[in-house]
Amino acid sequence: AQGKSGRGLLRNGLVVAQLAIATVLVIGAGVFVRSFIEILRADLGIKPDGVMTMSLELPRDKYPEGEQRRNLYQQLLQHVEALPGVAGAGVIDNLPMTGSYNSSRFQIVAQPPFEKGREPFAEWRIATPGYFAAIGTELRKGRLFNAKDDAKAPRVMLVNEAFAARYLKGLDAVGQRVGFGDAKSGSSEIVGVVANVMNEDLDGLQEPGVYLPFAQSPSSRMTLVIRAPGAHMRIASAVRESLAALDPRLPLSEIKTMEQVVYERRSPKEVMMWTLVVFGAMALLMAAVGTYAVMAYAVAQRTHELGVRVAFGAQVRDVVRLVLSEGLKLAVAGVVIGGATAFYAGRWVKPLL
């Protein structure tokens, strides 16, 4: 009897463990599904539909000076903007949501300085005036770059809302000056505040960032951003022809839609979500089968006992209630243990949500 009782406890323990694991996986799958739905609904800070991107790197031996780079990109943008179906075009050195950006320490001019060596970092990107309309990042305050912000003009910059909220709280951001690096580098005036853009992990819009005008900081490697609703899939060949007319030896690379860029950042989370959904469903099915098997075996072992109960006047519903109550105890124990485990495990998966 003791052996049978021990085997029964082992079977019940395995069922409870199965139910606990299934509960953890099902709750995890539900959390990831909800997180993924929130990603789909989130404001990205850009409008990726109808936008094509392509990278171009100018050889430094042929385009060593800023003026040569400015001229090439300016002429290319003029060609691209004249193409049929193009609603706007610009260039930026690093696309948003790709994990690529530059960062530097900075100080707010005319404000109490940050402790030396502990100055905060800010992400910065180089962009042309037309980039913001092409990518769909909205202006919140002030103005965007324009043609007057050239190499001879005073240095200017744009900041995002996160930068203004964190470092210029209580101040009018427009008109403030920010210096990067050491004091000898000079400072730039903030002329506008633009919307935040979702980070590469798709989990927030909080990273402070700034934009510098391409005309004042010309880079050799830039990415074309072209808004051409309904025609963006066919625009690459036309851009190649325009580029060949300026310099036939320059190749385009990394040609993809902005929607594809967003999907590449989103797909790992989607794969993880579906993996958990599948494993959760399988675990739940196995736990249900295991519970049924244990209860069926228990009933078979107790056939004589149940027969005696019926002989002494027990109703069928009483017998059914007795059997189901034992199964319910196992289910409740498994769900409670699994729920508690999922709650404490939540802190480990929080960074992924």
Side-chain angles (χ1 to χ4, degrees), residues 14 28 35 37-39 87 108 119 128 141 143 162 171 185 196 204 209 215-216 218 258 309 324 326 332:
L14 290 175
S35 178
I37 291 173
E38 292 299 321
I39 288 175
I108 309 295
E119 300 91 343
T128 59
K141 193 173 185 180
R143 68 171 178 86
L171 301 173
S185 302
N196 295 330
Q216 295 181 352
M258 197 61 207
R309 288 176 180 271
L324 290 182
E326 294 184 3
V332 170

Side-chain angles (χ1 to χ4, degrees), residues 247-258:
D247 189 337
R249 293 178 298 176
L250 295 178
L252 291 173
S253 62
E254 300 178 18
I255 301 173
K256 59 182 70 175
T257 65
M258 197 61 207

Side-chain angles (χ1 to χ4, degrees), residues 172-191:
D172 185 355
V174 176
Q176 301 294 326
R177 301 191 69 86
V178 178
F180 284 93
D182 54 34
K184 297 180 181 179
S185 302
S187 61
S188 300
E189 180 185 356
I190 299 173
V191 295

Side-chain angles (χ1 to χ4, degrees), residues 49-131:
D49 54 300
V51 175
M52 179 63 75
T53 69
M54 52 199 78
S55 297
L56 172 62
E57 183 163 7
L58 305 181
R60 294 180 181 272
D61 57 342
K62 188 174 181 181
Y63 296 91
E65 303 293 334
E67 187 64 29
Q68 295 171 312
R69 299 172 187 175
R70 281 190 289 266
N71 289 339
L72 188 282
Y73 280 110
Q74 182 178 4
Q75 293 177 50
L76 179 58
L77 286 175
Q78 290 174 348
H79 281 260
V80 171
E81 289 171 345
L83 294 173
V86 173
V91 297
I92 188 167
D93 60 339
N94 292 300
L95 275 175
M97 301 172 61
T98 59
S100 299
Y101 55 85
N102 305 295
S103 65
S104 296
R105 295 183 183 273
F106 66 91
Q107 290 279 2
I108 309 295
V109 177
Q111 296 298 320
F114 298 109
E115 184 179 346
K116 189 171 181 60
R118 294 190 176 182
E119 300 91 343
F121 284 87
E123 300 176 6
W124 57 270
R125 290 180 168 87
I126 299 170
T128 59
Y131 161 77

Side-chain angles (χ1 to χ4, degrees), residues 196-218:
N196 295 330
V197 176
M198 186 68 74
N199 62 16
E200 64 271 18
D201 292 326
L202 302 179
D203 60 5
L205 296 159
Q206 304 305 316
E207 282 80 354
V210 305
Y211 298 88
L212 307 177
F214 173 75
Q216 295 181 352
S217 303

